Amino acid sequence: MSMFELHVCTLRGRLLRAFPVGDRAELILGRDETCDIQIRSPKVAEEHCAIEPEGEQLVLRDLGSREGTLVEGQRIQKVRVEGGLEVVVGPALIRFIETR
């Protein structure tokens, strides 16, 4: 399975934080303080989306958020994680960088 670095950026692309991805069973992104990656905004659901393995690849899945998880301006239910993928979650741009 590929390893990725997840960059949490502003919508203009300024890097705020970076996290390694691919070495855990599941990562939850959301507003709640119990989330693995917390994004503090009223536009982000308490548990907004999850990154999880599916076979030999990783997928990002929306967890029924009201505002949605967007790829290229379209709401998605699930998308395969690959290098260069950009996902909008509330006020944040989530960018995946392949590390190996």
Side-chain angles (χ1 to χ4, degrees):
M1 184 180 304
S2 295
M3 295 290 290
F4 296 93
E5 194 168 87
L6 180 154
H7 291 182
V8 178
C9 305
T10 65
L11 290 178
R12 293 181 180 212
R14 184 172 60 87
L15 178 64
L16 301 173
R17 291 176 286 165
F19 301 89
V21 175
D23 58 348
R24 297 185 50 182
E26 181 181 63
L27 281 174
I28 304 289
L29 288 78
R31 188 177 73 231
D32 195 83
E33 61 190 31
T34 62
C35 290
D36 300 299
I37 299 174
Q38 189 178 17
I39 301 170
R40 294 185 188 102
S41 168
K43 292 186 175 200
V44 175
E46 289 187 7
E47 289 190 348
H48 198 98
C49 58
I51 300 164
E52 56 200 13
E54 186 174 271
E56 290 298 310
Q57 59 192 21
L58 286 174
V59 295
L60 183 140
R61 184 171 50 87
D62 185 82
L63 297 175
S65 65
R66 188 175 63 234
E67 297 284 332
T69 301
L70 308 177
V71 174
E72 295 180 359
Q74 301 295 313
R75 284 179 83 120
I76 56 99
Q77 293 302 311
K78 181 170 81 171
V79 65
R80 193 176 112 217
V81 172
E82 51 192 30
L85 176 66
E86 293 186 342
V87 180
V88 174
V89 175
L93 174 66
I94 309 300
R95 184 178 288 145
F96 292 89
I97 310 297
E98 194 159 4
T99 55
R100 69 172 166 125

